[in-house]
Amino acid sequence: MGEEGARGVVHLLCLAASSGVPLFCRSSRGGVPTRQQLPFSVIGSLNGVHMFGQNLEVQLSSARTEDTTVVWKNFHDSITLIVVSSEESNLELRLERLLQMVFGAMVLLVGLEELTNIRNVERLKKELRASYHLIDSFLGDSELIGDLTQCVDCVVSPEGSLLQETLSGFAEATSTAFVSLVASGRVVAATEGWWRLGMPEAVLLPWLVGSLPPQTARDYPVYLPHGSPTVPHRLLTLMLLPGLELCLLCGPRPPLSQLDAQVLERWWQPLMEPLRACLALGPRALPTGLPLHADILGLLLLHLELRRCLFTVEPSGDKEPAPQHRRRLLRSFYTLVTSTHFPPEPGAPEEKVEDAIQQAQLPRACYLVSGPEEPGAGWRLVALHSGPRRLLLLVSPQSPTHGLWSLATHTLHALTPLL
Amino acid sequence: MARPPTPGSVVVPNWHESAEGKEYLGCILRKNRRRVFGLLERPVLPPPVAIDTVSYKIFVSGKSGVGKTALVAKLAGLEVPVVHHETTGIQTTMVFWPAKLQASNRVVMFRFEFWDCGESALKKFDHMLPACQEKADAFLFLFSFTDRASFEDLPGQLARVAGEAPGAVRMVIGSKFDQYMHTDVPERDLTAFRQAWELPLLRVKSVPGRRLADGRTLDGRAGLADIAHVLNGLAEQLWYQDQVAAGLLPSPPENTPG
């Protein structure tokens, strides 16, 4: 067990690979961004040991001490990212994905060209500051989970089809194929074009919109890390209601001025009530009418082919534990089952495919008790895998173990029409 | 461009501090915080006092780092970013401001749409400057009291940015006025500038806004008191400009004896 004070600290370092010049350092403690940084000598040593290996053609990817995990990753021989984390049960999978998201965020806002062909380090440092909001939101305690699951966080609105219809009409009228409606970083509705966006941009774009301070509208140049890393597109965001934004990904047209309040009112004013209802859904992500067993404290439903997910830790009431704690439990459970029990998701090439024997004996479900060891005291965690769907549940300690399997099966069945 | 009206001649200057003004301000506040409005929303007043809304587009221009984004955040009652970074592209912010007109004693709701764009984005992407200039009703030119170059850049900015919009309002704002101990722009330079350009010039302080009792949330009313002079100044210039453009006022030179 680590010393009090070092718990829950994450340091993220970004260096220019060739020179070892630090480009930025971001840190968080207990899920909150902090200004406390690693001393320069430590940064130098962490980079040095990685470089030393590289010179001998040894790829150092991760290391562990009693309470800390370090993961290194080099991108395009130009950028080195290092994460040092003392969070509990932080498996390498989580940190590797974190680094991929961070690099994706850097590409998104400054473009791959600037990152692979560094001409002026000082200018690059200045430009990278624009990505701090987004990067800090990965280090902090987010309500979203797409950074880890590499699936788009969604919210299911009871009037989804109405919203979808209007969205399609609006997209057609503005001649934009990529349009989505985003509530606090979660996608409520999107055009087919938007759903076809690759990874990581499909996760990064709504996440970016959710992490920025409020603006009535934006017209940002964005580079899509997968689809268009060197040629920028325009990301237009229009705040219909505080916390609810219409996002368009487009080329030179339409100009922002064309999407003024009159145009938006014509399309969206009639849907004011469903739109407000989306906001009210908030972190619950699921329609209120959906019957869920009262023992379920949190759930994560993934559709691995569509690459979308529903994540909520507030399906009902305000029982123990706190939402942050629930999110942490589900996050670490996800990391555990993904890196040890369940097969890697399709489209995640970085995961090593296990050998053929294990492939044949894939588990379909697993469960875990977290917390105190006395019977009936620890949080129950259940994971179920069925077709393209994967369901993870956090269940209250009172729930009998023998009922978990059927509880999970029933819940998955009830949720299937949603995703 | 018409000569600017004398401050306080069009809009009642301290009306927002009167009992009546405070009541109107209530509709842009919620629980003592500034309300953020979405594009589908507007302030709601009780039915008998329904008032007219006039919309204006305002482009905020100035050298990188003078505090364009910070000024707009302050005007909207939002948190001012702690660490400076270039604004990624264009961002717009809607600010509602009720003001009372001197001539008619009527209250009008001003809806300002501030357009703010990072300098390097402006240079890198050709479509951004025209998008910001298009149909702009006013240009706010920002300089910082702690950055001499940003002050010297003003004539260039004025020509480059507002050169093709002779009918638009132009105002100059000096930011970081609280740091007058370190000022790079002495009073005599300001006087010379004012004489040469005849533009309204306002000063704003860049101090953090007062917080509510919880120590975290910005105090909406205190924030409004800090920036009321800017919003009133803008309202005044824009309203006056509209009146002149509509031929409702005698042409400016004989109207302003001094």
Side-chain angles (χ1 to χ4, degrees), chain B residues 46-127:
Chain B
V49 281
I51 53 171
D52 288 330
T53 302
V54 281
S55 296
Y56 295 103
K57 171 176 172 178
I58 298 144
F59 176 37
V60 185
S61 172
K63 199 173 151 275
S64 173
V66 292
K68 299 184 284 294
T69 307
L71 172 74
V72 175
K74 227 172 163 52
L75 294 179
L78 298 170
E79 284 301 334
V80 173
V82 194
V83 186
H84 168 261
H85 72 82
E86 278 266 350
T87 299
T88 310
I90 301 173
Q91 45 197 37
T92 75
T93 306
M94 199 161 54
V95 174
F96 286 96
W97 177 248
K100 188 165 199 167
L101 303 174
Q102 287 281 18
S104 58
N105 237 3
R106 194 153 67 92
V107 181
V108 171
M109 181 64 77
F110 285 83
R111 176 188 182 273
F112 300 124
E113 199 174 272
F114 292 99
W115 286 54
D116 165 29
C117 185
E119 273 291 282
S120 63
L122 273 184
K123 285 182 191 136
K124 221 155 135 188
F125 303 101
D126 293 338
H127 70 278

Side-chain angles (χ1 to χ4, degrees), chain A residues 369-381:
Chain A
V369 179
S370 167
E373 280 168 31
E374 308 91 73
W379 315 112
R380 277 106 168 91
L381 290 143

Side-chain angles (χ1 to χ4, degrees), chain A residues 265-285:
Chain A
E265 274 171 20
R266 204 167 55 234
W267 281 96
W268 297 98
Q269 196 77 48
L271 274 74
M272 204 58 165
E273 286 320 303
L275 291 175
R276 286 203 193 281
C278 290
L279 284 177
L281 274 180
R284 187 182 144 91

Side-chain angles (χ1 to χ4, degrees), chain A residues 129 216-217 219-220 239 265, chain B residues 39 42 84 90-92 94:
Chain A
R129 284 193 206 166
T216 306
D219 181 346
Y220 278 9
M239 180 170 73
E265 274 171 20
Chain B
L39 281 155
R42 57 199 56 224
H84 168 261
I90 301 173
Q91 45 197 37
T92 75
M94 199 161 54

Side-chain angles (χ1 to χ4, degrees), chain A residues 333 337 342 364-367 381-385 390-393 405 408:
Chain A
F333 185 52
V337 294
F342 283 172
R364 286 195 295 140
C366 69
Y367 101 95
L381 290 143
V382 200
L384 191 65
H385 185 85
R390 189 170 291 177
L391 176 70
L392 278 73
L393 292 180
W405 164 259

